[in-house]
Protein backbone atom coordinates (compact mmCIF):
# COMPACT_ATOMS: atom_id res chain seq x y z
CA UNK A 1 0.00 0.00 0.00
CA UNK A 2 2.82 2.35 0.88
CA UNK A 3 4.47 1.69 -2.46
CA UNK A 4 1.21 2.44 -4.33
CA UNK A 5 0.74 5.67 -2.36
CA UNK A 6 4.29 6.77 -3.09
CA UNK A 7 3.85 5.94 -6.76
CA UNK A 8 0.62 7.97 -6.90
CA UNK A 9 2.32 10.94 -5.20
CA UNK A 10 5.19 10.77 -7.64
CA UNK A 11 2.77 10.71 -10.58
CA UNK A 12 0.91 13.75 -9.20
CA UNK A 13 4.20 15.53 -8.71
CA UNK A 14 5.22 14.67 -12.26
CA UNK A 15 1.90 15.97 -13.63
CA UNK A 16 2.34 19.21 -11.66
CA UNK A 17 5.84 19.63 -13.04
CA UNK A 18 4.64 18.98 -16.60
CA UNK A 19 1.83 21.48 -16.11
CA UNK A 20 4.29 24.09 -14.82
CA UNK A 21 6.64 23.51 -17.75
CA UNK A 22 3.72 23.75 -20.16
CA UNK A 23 2.58 27.04 -18.61
CA UNK A 24 6.10 28.46 -18.73
CA UNK A 25 6.51 27.35 -22.33
CA UNK A 26 3.29 29.01 -23.52
CA UNK A 27 4.13 32.15 -21.54
CA UNK A 28 7.57 32.34 -23.14
CA UNK A 29 6.17 31.68 -26.61
CA UNK A 30 3.61 34.47 -26.23
CA UNK A 31 6.26 36.81 -24.81
CA UNK A 32 8.59 36.08 -27.71
CA UNK A 33 5.75 36.68 -30.17
CA UNK A 34 4.84 40.03 -28.60
CA UNK A 35 8.46 41.20 -28.41
CA UNK A 36 9.15 40.14 -32.01
CA UNK A 37 6.11 41.98 -33.32
CA UNK A 38 6.97 45.01 -31.18
CA UNK A 39 10.49 45.13 -32.61
CA UNK A 40 9.08 45.25 -36.16
CA UNK A 41 6.60 47.95 -35.14
CA UNK A 42 9.46 49.89 -33.54
CA UNK A 43 11.25 49.69 -36.91
CA UNK A 44 8.35 51.73 -38.29
CA UNK A 45 10.03 54.73 -36.63
CA UNK A 46 12.76 54.30 -39.23
CA UNK A 47 10.07 54.25 -41.91
CA UNK A 48 8.52 57.45 -40.61
CA UNK A 49 11.97 59.05 -40.48
CA UNK A 50 12.78 58.22 -44.12
CA UNK A 51 9.29 59.10 -45.34
CA UNK A 52 9.31 62.50 -43.65
CA UNK A 53 12.94 63.27 -44.47
CA UNK A 54 12.34 62.62 -48.15
CA UNK A 55 9.19 64.74 -48.16
CA UNK A 56 10.86 67.89 -46.77
CA UNK A 57 13.49 70.16 -48.30
CA UNK A 58 17.12 69.26 -47.72
CA UNK A 59 17.66 72.26 -45.43
CA UNK A 60 15.30 70.73 -42.84
CA UNK A 61 16.41 67.10 -42.98
CA UNK A 62 18.38 67.06 -39.74
CA UNK A 63 15.51 68.73 -37.92
CA UNK A 64 12.93 66.15 -39.00
CA UNK A 65 15.28 63.25 -38.26
CA UNK A 66 16.05 64.33 -34.71
CA UNK A 67 12.32 64.69 -34.06
CA UNK A 68 11.75 61.11 -35.17
CA UNK A 69 14.61 59.97 -32.97
CA UNK A 70 13.26 61.80 -29.93
CA UNK A 71 9.75 60.44 -30.51
CA UNK A 72 10.99 57.08 -29.32
CA UNK A 73 13.05 58.48 -26.43
CA UNK A 74 10.42 60.86 -25.07
CA UNK A 75 7.59 58.36 -25.46
CA UNK A 76 9.27 55.55 -23.54
CA UNK A 77 9.97 57.78 -20.54
CA UNK A 78 6.49 59.31 -20.50
CA UNK A 79 4.73 56.00 -21.04
CA UNK A 80 6.84 54.26 -18.37
CA UNK A 81 6.29 56.98 -15.79
CA UNK A 82 2.63 57.89 -16.33
CA UNK A 83 1.15 56.62 -19.59
CA UNK A 84 0.91 52.94 -18.71
CA UNK A 85 -0.79 53.71 -15.38
CA UNK A 86 -3.43 55.89 -17.08
CA UNK A 87 -4.03 53.27 -19.75
CA UNK A 88 -4.11 49.97 -17.87
CA UNK A 89 -3.57 50.69 -14.18
CA UNK A 90 -6.25 49.33 -11.87
CA UNK A 91 -8.60 51.84 -10.25
CA UNK A 92 -11.66 51.98 -8.07
CA UNK A 93 -15.16 51.31 -9.32
CA UNK A 94 -16.61 54.11 -11.42
CA UNK A 95 -13.33 55.96 -11.91
CA UNK A 96 -11.89 53.02 -13.79
CA UNK A 97 -14.41 53.57 -16.57
CA UNK A 98 -12.47 56.65 -17.64
CA UNK A 99 -8.90 56.41 -16.40
CA UNK A 100 -6.47 54.15 -14.59
CA UNK A 101 -4.39 55.41 -11.69
CA UNK A 102 -2.03 52.73 -10.43
CA UNK A 103 1.26 51.10 -11.49
CA UNK A 104 2.99 54.44 -12.07
CA UNK A 105 6.65 53.88 -13.02
CA UNK A 106 5.55 50.21 -13.47
CA UNK A 107 5.37 49.81 -9.70
CA UNK A 108 4.01 46.34 -8.89
CA UNK A 109 3.84 45.39 -12.59
CA UNK A 110 6.04 42.86 -14.38
CA UNK A 111 4.33 41.93 -17.66
CA UNK A 112 7.08 43.60 -19.64
CA UNK A 113 6.24 42.11 -23.08
CA UNK A 114 2.78 43.67 -22.91
CA UNK A 115 4.24 47.00 -21.79
CA UNK A 116 6.80 47.06 -24.60
CA UNK A 117 4.15 46.22 -27.19
CA UNK A 118 1.87 49.00 -25.97
CA UNK A 119 4.76 51.47 -25.85
CA UNK A 120 5.55 51.10 -29.57
CA UNK A 121 1.90 51.83 -30.35
CA UNK A 122 2.12 54.98 -28.26
CA UNK A 123 5.25 56.08 -30.11
CA UNK A 124 3.48 55.58 -33.44
CA UNK A 125 0.57 57.79 -32.38
CA UNK A 126 2.96 60.60 -31.41
CA UNK A 127 5.09 60.31 -34.56
CA UNK A 128 2.15 60.91 -36.89
CA UNK A 129 1.92 64.58 -35.93
CA UNK A 130 5.54 65.49 -36.74
CA UNK A 131 4.93 65.25 -40.49
CA UNK A 132 1.97 67.64 -40.41
CA UNK A 133 4.00 70.49 -38.88
CA UNK A 134 7.30 69.76 -40.63
CA UNK A 135 9.67 72.58 -41.64
CA UNK A 136 8.16 75.22 -39.35
CA UNK A 137 7.47 73.83 -35.87
CA UNK A 138 9.45 75.28 -32.96
CA UNK A 139 11.53 72.59 -31.26
CA UNK A 140 10.09 73.27 -27.79
CA UNK A 141 6.59 73.01 -29.23
CA UNK A 142 7.45 69.62 -30.70
CA UNK A 143 8.81 68.31 -27.39
CA UNK A 144 5.65 69.52 -25.63
CA UNK A 145 3.11 67.91 -27.94
CA UNK A 146 5.11 64.67 -28.19
CA UNK A 147 5.20 64.42 -24.40
CA UNK A 148 1.52 65.21 -23.94
CA UNK A 149 0.32 62.74 -26.60
CA UNK A 150 2.38 59.78 -25.35
CA UNK A 151 1.91 60.52 -21.65
CA UNK A 152 -1.73 61.63 -21.41
CA UNK A 153 -3.80 61.76 -24.61
CA UNK A 154 -3.09 58.34 -26.12
CA UNK A 155 -3.10 56.45 -22.77
CA UNK A 156 -6.51 57.83 -21.81
CA UNK A 157 -7.98 56.86 -25.19
CA UNK A 158 -6.38 53.44 -24.81
CA UNK A 159 -8.05 52.98 -21.44
CA UNK A 160 -11.46 53.88 -22.85
CA UNK A 161 -11.18 51.53 -25.82
CA UNK A 162 -8.90 48.62 -24.87
CA UNK A 163 -8.83 48.31 -21.09
CA UNK A 164 -11.31 45.72 -19.80
CA UNK A 165 -12.82 48.41 -17.57
CA UNK A 166 -12.97 51.25 -20.13
CA UNK A 167 -16.39 52.69 -20.87
CA UNK A 168 -16.12 52.14 -24.64
CA UNK A 169 -14.78 48.62 -24.18
CA UNK A 170 -17.66 47.73 -21.86
CA UNK A 171 -20.15 49.23 -24.27
CA UNK A 172 -23.90 49.33 -23.84
CA UNK A 173 -25.99 46.26 -23.08
CA UNK A 174 -29.76 46.35 -23.42
CA UNK A 175 -31.75 43.14 -23.66
CA UNK A 176 -30.24 41.03 -26.41
CA UNK A 177 -28.20 43.94 -27.80
CA UNK A 178 -24.56 44.28 -26.75
CA UNK A 179 -22.80 47.18 -28.48
CA UNK A 180 -19.09 47.74 -27.90
CA UNK A 181 -16.33 49.78 -29.47
CA UNK A 182 -14.66 47.57 -32.08
CA UNK A 183 -11.13 48.57 -33.06
CA UNK A 184 -8.77 45.61 -33.22
CA UNK A 185 -5.42 47.32 -33.97
CA UNK A 186 -6.11 51.03 -33.60
CA UNK A 187 -7.74 52.62 -36.65
CA UNK A 188 -9.37 55.01 -34.21
CA UNK A 189 -7.28 54.85 -31.05
CA UNK A 190 -3.93 55.29 -32.83
CA UNK A 191 -4.51 56.72 -36.30
CA UNK A 192 -7.68 58.78 -36.03
CA UNK A 193 -6.22 60.20 -32.81
CA UNK A 194 -2.89 61.14 -34.43
CA UNK A 195 -4.53 62.32 -37.65
CA UNK A 196 -7.02 64.58 -35.85
CA UNK A 197 -4.25 66.17 -33.80
CA UNK A 198 -2.30 66.64 -37.05
CA UNK A 199 -5.19 68.61 -38.56
CA UNK A 200 -5.45 70.91 -35.55
CA UNK A 201 -1.67 71.34 -35.34
CA UNK A 202 -1.29 72.21 -39.03
CA UNK A 203 -4.23 74.63 -38.83
CA UNK A 204 -2.91 76.39 -35.71
CA UNK A 205 0.66 76.49 -37.01
CA UNK A 206 -0.25 78.02 -40.33
CA UNK A 207 1.24 77.12 -43.74
CA UNK A 208 4.90 77.22 -44.64
CA UNK A 209 6.14 80.48 -46.12
CA UNK A 210 5.51 80.39 -49.86
CA UNK A 211 3.09 77.45 -49.76
CA UNK A 212 0.02 79.46 -50.73
CA UNK A 213 -0.15 82.81 -52.59
CA UNK A 214 -0.86 85.88 -50.48
CA UNK A 215 -3.48 88.38 -51.71
CA UNK A 216 -2.86 89.02 -55.43
CA UNK A 217 0.43 87.18 -55.73
CA UNK A 218 1.15 84.80 -58.55
CA UNK A 219 0.43 81.16 -57.82
CA UNK A 220 3.20 79.75 -55.61
CA UNK A 221 5.46 77.00 -56.88
CA UNK A 222 4.85 73.63 -55.29
CA UNK A 223 7.13 72.94 -52.32
CA UNK A 224 8.74 69.62 -53.13
CA UNK A 225 10.54 67.13 -50.94
CA UNK A 226 14.22 66.62 -51.70
CA UNK A 227 14.42 62.83 -52.07
CA UNK A 228 11.94 60.53 -53.77
CA UNK A 229 14.05 57.42 -52.93
CA UNK A 230 13.98 58.31 -49.22
CA UNK A 231 10.22 58.67 -49.30
CA UNK A 232 9.74 55.41 -51.18
CA UNK A 233 12.05 53.53 -48.81
CA UNK A 234 10.16 54.92 -45.82
CA UNK A 235 6.88 53.87 -47.37
CA UNK A 236 8.08 50.29 -47.90
CA UNK A 237 9.32 50.09 -44.30
CA UNK A 238 5.96 51.29 -43.03
CA UNK A 239 4.13 48.75 -45.19
CA UNK A 240 6.31 46.03 -43.69
CA UNK A 241 5.69 47.37 -40.19
CA UNK A 242 1.92 47.44 -40.63
CA UNK A 243 1.89 43.66 -41.06
CA UNK A 244 3.26 43.31 -37.53
CA UNK A 245 1.18 46.24 -36.28
CA UNK A 246 -2.03 44.42 -37.19
CA UNK A 247 -0.95 40.79 -36.97
CA UNK A 248 0.75 41.31 -33.62
CA UNK A 249 -2.41 42.81 -32.13
CA UNK A 250 -3.66 39.25 -31.58
CA UNK A 251 -1.26 39.49 -28.59
CA UNK A 252 -0.70 35.72 -28.33
CA UNK A 253 0.28 32.77 -30.51
CA UNK A 254 -0.24 29.77 -28.23
CA UNK A 255 -4.03 29.50 -28.21
CA UNK A 256 -5.98 27.47 -30.75
CA UNK A 257 -6.64 29.57 -33.86
CA UNK A 258 -4.14 32.34 -33.00
CA UNK A 259 -1.91 31.58 -35.98
CA UNK A 260 -4.91 31.64 -38.30
CA UNK A 261 -5.99 35.04 -36.99
CA UNK A 262 -2.48 36.49 -37.28
CA UNK A 263 -2.22 35.37 -40.92
CA UNK A 264 -5.73 36.64 -41.72
CA UNK A 265 -4.92 40.06 -40.25
CA UNK A 266 -1.72 40.30 -42.30
CA UNK A 267 -3.42 39.23 -45.54
CA UNK A 268 -6.27 41.68 -45.04
CA UNK A 269 -3.79 44.45 -44.28
CA UNK A 270 -1.76 44.09 -47.47
CA UNK A 271 -4.90 43.55 -49.57
CA UNK A 272 -6.53 46.71 -48.23
CA UNK A 273 -3.38 48.72 -48.88
CA UNK A 274 -3.13 47.36 -52.43
CA UNK A 275 -6.72 48.18 -53.32
CA UNK A 276 -6.26 51.70 -51.93
CA UNK A 277 -3.04 52.22 -53.90
CA UNK A 278 -4.47 51.00 -57.20
CA UNK A 279 -7.72 52.97 -57.00
CA UNK A 280 -5.81 56.14 -56.16
CA UNK A 281 -3.26 55.56 -58.94
CA UNK A 282 -6.07 55.11 -61.47
CA UNK A 283 -7.94 58.21 -60.24
CA UNK A 284 -4.79 60.34 -60.32
CA UNK A 285 -3.91 59.18 -63.82
CA UNK A 286 -7.44 59.98 -64.99
CA UNK A 287 -7.16 63.51 -63.59
CA UNK A 288 -3.55 64.37 -64.43
CA UNK A 289 -2.29 61.80 -66.91
CA UNK A 290 0.64 60.82 -64.66
CA UNK A 291 1.47 57.68 -62.67
CA UNK A 292 2.36 59.21 -59.31
CA UNK A 293 4.67 57.30 -56.96
CA UNK A 294 4.64 59.43 -53.81
CA UNK A 295 0.89 59.85 -53.53
CA UNK A 296 0.30 56.19 -54.33
CA UNK A 297 2.49 55.29 -51.34
CA UNK A 298 0.33 57.51 -49.13
CA UNK A 299 -2.84 55.92 -50.49
CA UNK A 300 -1.46 52.45 -49.77
CA UNK A 301 -0.71 53.46 -46.19
CA UNK A 302 -4.21 54.87 -45.78
CA UNK A 303 -5.63 51.49 -46.83
CA UNK A 304 -3.47 49.71 -44.27
CA UNK A 305 -4.58 52.19 -41.61
CA UNK A 306 -8.19 51.43 -42.49
CA UNK A 307 -7.55 47.70 -42.16
CA UNK A 308 -6.48 48.09 -38.52
CA UNK A 309 -10.02 48.15 -37.12
CA UNK A 310 -11.41 44.89 -38.49
CA UNK A 311 -8.57 42.92 -40.08
CA UNK A 312 -8.92 40.07 -37.55
CA UNK A 313 -12.52 39.19 -38.43
CA UNK A 314 -12.96 40.40 -41.97
CA UNK A 315 -13.05 38.09 -44.96
CA UNK A 316 -10.51 38.94 -47.66
CA UNK A 317 -13.27 39.93 -50.10
CA UNK A 318 -14.11 42.80 -47.74
CA UNK A 319 -10.71 44.37 -48.39
CA UNK A 320 -12.05 45.70 -51.68
CA UNK A 321 -14.55 47.81 -49.71
CA UNK A 322 -11.93 48.87 -47.16
CA UNK A 323 -9.14 49.65 -49.62
CA UNK A 324 -11.14 51.40 -52.33
CA UNK A 325 -12.97 53.54 -49.77
CA UNK A 326 -9.73 54.47 -48.00
CA UNK A 327 -7.98 55.41 -51.26
CA UNK A 328 -10.85 57.63 -52.44
CA UNK A 329 -11.26 59.24 -49.01
CA UNK A 330 -7.54 59.99 -48.92
CA UNK A 331 -7.85 61.66 -52.33
CA UNK A 332 -10.80 63.78 -51.17
CA UNK A 333 -9.28 64.86 -47.86
CA UNK A 334 -5.92 65.69 -49.41
CA UNK A 335 -7.61 68.03 -51.89
CA UNK A 336 -9.79 69.46 -49.12
CA UNK A 337 -6.71 70.45 -47.11
CA UNK A 338 -5.34 72.35 -50.11
CA UNK A 339 -8.67 74.06 -50.65
CA UNK A 340 -8.79 75.11 -46.99
CA UNK A 341 -5.16 76.29 -47.32
CA UNK A 342 -4.02 74.08 -44.46
CA UNK A 343 -0.44 72.97 -45.06
CA UNK A 344 0.15 69.31 -44.24
CA UNK A 345 3.45 68.33 -45.92
CA UNK A 346 3.04 64.58 -45.29
CA UNK A 347 -0.75 64.38 -45.72
CA UNK A 348 -0.87 63.04 -42.15
CA UNK A 349 -4.49 64.05 -41.70
CA UNK A 350 -5.68 62.52 -44.96
CA UNK A 351 -3.74 59.27 -44.45
CA UNK A 352 -4.29 58.61 -40.76
CA UNK A 353 -7.51 60.40 -39.87
CA UNK A 354 -9.16 59.53 -43.18
CA UNK A 355 -7.97 55.93 -43.15
CA UNK A 356 -8.71 55.54 -39.44
CA UNK A 357 -12.25 56.87 -39.77
CA UNK A 358 -12.98 54.67 -42.78
CA UNK A 359 -11.58 51.68 -40.93
CA UNK A 360 -13.99 52.14 -38.03
CA UNK A 361 -16.91 52.48 -40.46
CA UNK A 362 -15.78 49.42 -42.41
CA UNK A 363 -15.45 47.29 -39.28
CA UNK A 364 -19.06 47.98 -38.39
CA UNK A 365 -20.25 47.20 -41.92
CA UNK A 366 -18.39 44.27 -43.47
CA UNK A 367 -16.77 42.49 -40.50
CA UNK A 368 -18.44 39.39 -39.12
CA UNK A 369 -21.32 40.68 -37.01
CA UNK A 370 -21.46 43.96 -38.93
CA UNK A 371 -24.26 45.55 -40.93
CA UNK A 372 -23.65 43.54 -44.11
CA UNK A 373 -23.84 40.21 -42.26
CA UNK A 374 -26.91 41.37 -40.35
CA UNK A 375 -28.71 42.28 -43.59
CA UNK A 376 -27.84 38.92 -45.11
CA UNK A 377 -29.19 37.27 -41.97
CA UNK A 378 -32.48 39.14 -42.25
CA UNK A 379 -32.86 38.21 -45.92
CA UNK A 380 -32.01 34.58 -45.19
CA UNK A 381 -34.37 34.41 -42.21
CA UNK A 382 -31.67 33.61 -39.65
CA UNK A 383 -32.62 33.26 -36.00
CA UNK A 384 -32.50 36.53 -33.98
CA UNK A 385 -31.61 38.40 -37.16
CA UNK A 386 -33.71 41.40 -36.04
CA UNK A 387 -31.64 41.86 -32.87
CA UNK A 388 -28.43 41.53 -34.85
CA UNK A 389 -29.59 44.19 -37.31
CA UNK A 390 -30.54 46.58 -34.50
CA UNK A 391 -27.17 46.13 -32.82
CA UNK A 392 -25.28 46.61 -36.07
CA UNK A 393 -26.72 50.11 -36.61
CA UNK A 394 -26.15 50.93 -33.39
CA UNK A 395 -1.63 78.90 -29.45
CA UNK A 396 1.78 80.82 -28.01
CA UNK A 397 5.15 80.36 -29.67
CA UNK A 398 4.45 77.52 -32.00
CA UNK A 399 6.73 78.04 -34.96
CA UNK A 400 10.19 79.37 -35.75
CA UNK A 401 10.88 82.83 -37.17
CA UNK A 402 10.58 83.59 -40.88
CA UNK A 403 14.32 83.87 -41.44
CA UNK A 404 14.99 80.47 -39.87
CA UNK A 405 12.17 78.82 -41.80
CA UNK A 406 13.37 80.28 -45.10
CA UNK A 407 16.99 79.25 -44.61
CA UNK A 408 16.19 75.94 -42.93
CA UNK A 409 16.16 74.61 -39.38
CA UNK A 410 19.16 72.30 -39.68
CA UNK A 411 22.01 74.79 -39.23
CA UNK A 412 20.34 77.19 -36.81
CA UNK A 413 18.74 74.62 -34.50
CA UNK A 414 21.18 71.74 -34.75
CA UNK A 415 24.42 73.05 -36.23
CA UNK A 416 24.47 70.06 -38.57
CA UNK A 417 23.66 70.15 -42.25
CA UNK A 418 22.21 66.94 -43.65
CA UNK A 419 24.06 67.58 -46.91
CA UNK A 420 27.10 69.84 -46.21
CA UNK A 421 28.27 71.58 -49.36
CA UNK A 422 31.91 70.93 -48.43
CA UNK A 423 31.22 67.20 -48.48
CA UNK A 424 30.68 67.43 -52.24
CA UNK A 425 33.99 69.28 -52.96
CA UNK A 426 36.62 67.95 -55.33
CA UNK A 427 39.29 68.11 -52.61
CA UNK A 428 41.65 70.65 -54.25
CA UNK A 429 42.23 74.01 -52.58
CA UNK A 430 38.78 74.12 -51.01
CA UNK A 431 39.98 76.16 -48.05
CA UNK A 432 42.90 78.21 -49.33
CA UNK A 433 40.91 81.31 -50.21
CA UNK A 434 39.14 81.38 -46.86
CA UNK A 435 42.36 81.04 -44.89
CA UNK A 436 44.33 83.51 -47.00
CA UNK A 437 41.81 86.30 -47.28
CA UNK A 438 39.83 87.05 -44.15
CA UNK A 439 37.50 89.30 -46.14
CA UNK A 440 36.00 86.26 -47.77
CA UNK A 441 34.44 85.06 -44.52
CA UNK A 442 31.99 86.92 -42.33
CA UNK A 443 29.66 86.45 -39.42
CA UNK A 444 25.99 87.25 -39.18
CA UNK A 445 23.83 87.38 -36.05
CA UNK A 446 20.38 85.80 -36.22
CA UNK A 447 17.80 86.15 -33.43
CA UNK A 448 17.72 88.38 -30.39
CA UNK A 449 18.80 88.22 -26.76
CA UNK A 450 19.77 84.84 -25.36
CA UNK A 451 18.37 83.13 -28.46
CA UNK A 452 20.86 84.91 -30.76
CA UNK A 453 23.14 82.70 -32.85
CA UNK A 454 26.40 83.53 -34.65
CA UNK A 455 26.51 81.92 -38.07
CA UNK A 456 29.70 81.96 -40.14
CA UNK A 457 29.19 82.68 -43.83
CA UNK A 458 31.67 81.02 -46.18
CA UNK A 459 32.41 82.24 -49.71
CA UNK A 460 30.66 79.33 -51.35
CA UNK A 461 26.87 79.57 -51.57
CA UNK A 462 24.50 76.98 -50.18
CA UNK A 463 22.82 74.61 -52.58
CA UNK A 464 19.47 76.35 -52.02
CA UNK A 465 20.92 79.82 -52.70
CA UNK A 466 22.69 78.62 -55.81
CA UNK A 467 19.53 77.01 -57.15
CA UNK A 468 17.58 80.16 -56.36
CA UNK A 469 20.00 82.34 -58.34
CA UNK A 470 19.79 80.08 -61.38
CA UNK A 471 16.02 79.95 -61.11
CA UNK A 472 15.66 83.73 -60.92
CA UNK A 473 18.10 84.39 -63.74
CA UNK A 474 16.15 82.17 -66.09
CA UNK A 475 12.63 83.04 -65.01
CA UNK A 476 12.25 86.81 -65.26
CA UNK A 477 8.55 87.55 -65.42
CA UNK A 478 7.39 90.69 -67.32
CA UNK A 479 4.67 92.79 -65.65
CA UNK A 480 1.98 95.03 -67.03
CA UNK A 481 4.16 98.11 -66.31
CA UNK A 482 6.89 96.83 -68.63
CA UNK A 483 9.12 96.16 -65.65
CA UNK A 484 10.63 92.91 -64.58
CA UNK A 485 10.45 91.07 -61.28
CA UNK A 486 12.79 88.37 -60.12
CA UNK A 487 10.45 86.79 -57.59
CA UNK A 488 7.17 84.92 -57.77
CA UNK A 489 6.28 84.69 -54.10
CA UNK A 490 6.83 86.19 -50.67
CA UNK A 491 9.43 83.66 -49.60
CA UNK A 492 11.77 84.58 -52.48
CA UNK A 493 11.45 88.31 -51.73
CA UNK A 494 12.25 87.81 -48.03
CA UNK A 495 15.22 85.62 -48.81
CA UNK A 496 16.54 88.19 -51.28
CA UNK A 497 16.23 90.94 -48.67
CA UNK A 498 18.26 88.89 -46.20
CA UNK A 499 21.00 88.29 -48.76
CA UNK A 500 21.07 91.98 -49.66
CA UNK A 501 21.40 92.95 -45.99
CA UNK A 502 24.30 90.51 -45.64
CA UNK A 503 26.07 92.02 -48.67
CA UNK A 504 25.68 95.53 -47.24
CA UNK A 505 27.19 94.37 -43.93
CA UNK A 506 30.16 93.05 -45.88
CA UNK A 507 30.85 96.52 -47.28
Amino acid sequence: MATAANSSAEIDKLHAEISRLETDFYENVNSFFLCSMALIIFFMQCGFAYLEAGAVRSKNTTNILIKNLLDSCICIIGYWAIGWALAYGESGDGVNLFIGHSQFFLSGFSDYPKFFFQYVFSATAATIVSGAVAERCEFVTYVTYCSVISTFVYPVLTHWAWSDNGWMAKGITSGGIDTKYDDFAGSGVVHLCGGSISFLAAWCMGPRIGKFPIKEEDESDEILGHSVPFTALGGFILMFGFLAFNGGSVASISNAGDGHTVALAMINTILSGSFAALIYLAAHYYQHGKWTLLLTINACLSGMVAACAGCNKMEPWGCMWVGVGAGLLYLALSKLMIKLKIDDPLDAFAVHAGGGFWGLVSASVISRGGVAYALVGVVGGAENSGDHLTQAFAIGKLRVSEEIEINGLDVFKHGEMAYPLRAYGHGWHDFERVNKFNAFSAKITVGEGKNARIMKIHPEMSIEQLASVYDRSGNVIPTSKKSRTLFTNEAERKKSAMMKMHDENQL
Side-chain angles (χ1 to χ4, degrees), residues 413-424:
K413 288 292 182 181
H414 311 285
E416 300 170 347
M417 295 179 64
Y419 305 98
L421 187 61
R422 292 184 181 277
Y424 292 90

Side-chain angles (χ1 to χ4, degrees), residues 18-29:
I18 292 175
S19 178
R20 185 187 67 79
L21 291 174
E22 186 179 48
T23 301
D24 290 345
F25 172 77
Y26 287 137
E27 180 180 340
N28 288 333
V29 167

Side-chain angles (χ1 to χ4, degrees), residues 331-370:
L331 174 65
L333 292 180
S334 181
K335 290 185 176 297
L336 177 63
M337 294 289 280
I338 298 298
K339 187 173 183 179
L340 295 175
K341 293 189 175 181
I342 299 177
D343 185 13
D344 184 354
L346 271 294
D347 273 343
F349 170 71
V351 171
H352 296 278
F357 172 78
W358 184 251
L360 294 177
V361 172
S362 299
S364 65
V365 174
I366 51 109
S367 294
R368 289 189 290 271

Side-chain angles (χ1 to χ4, degrees), residues 48 51-52 55-56 128-134 136 191 194-196 198-199 202 208 211-212 222 231 280 284 292 294-299 301-302 305 326-327 329-339 342-356:
F48 279 114
L51 184 74
E52 295 177 17
V56 302
I128 291 170
V129 185
S130 62
V133 293
R136 63 203 190 277
H191 298 284
S196 299
S198 297
F199 176 87
R208 290 169 291 176
K211 173 65 176 178
F212 301 112
E222 184 180 1
T231 303
Y280 184 91
H284 188 274
T292 174
L294 300 178
L295 299 181
T296 302
I297 291 173
N298 278 348
L301 295 178
S302 72
V305 168
L329 187 58
Y330 164 71
L331 174 65
L333 292 180
S334 181
K335 290 185 176 297
L336 177 63
M337 294 289 280
I338 298 298
K339 187 173 183 179
I342 299 177
D343 185 13
D344 184 354
L346 271 294
D347 273 343
F349 170 71
V351 171
H352 296 278

Side-chain angles (χ1 to χ4, degrees), residues 70-91:
L70 292 182
D71 278 336
S72 302
C73 300
I74 293 174
C75 284
I76 184 61
I77 295 174
Y79 201 71
W80 161 72
I82 300 175
W84 171 267
L86 299 182
Y88 294 103
E90 295 294 333
S91 304

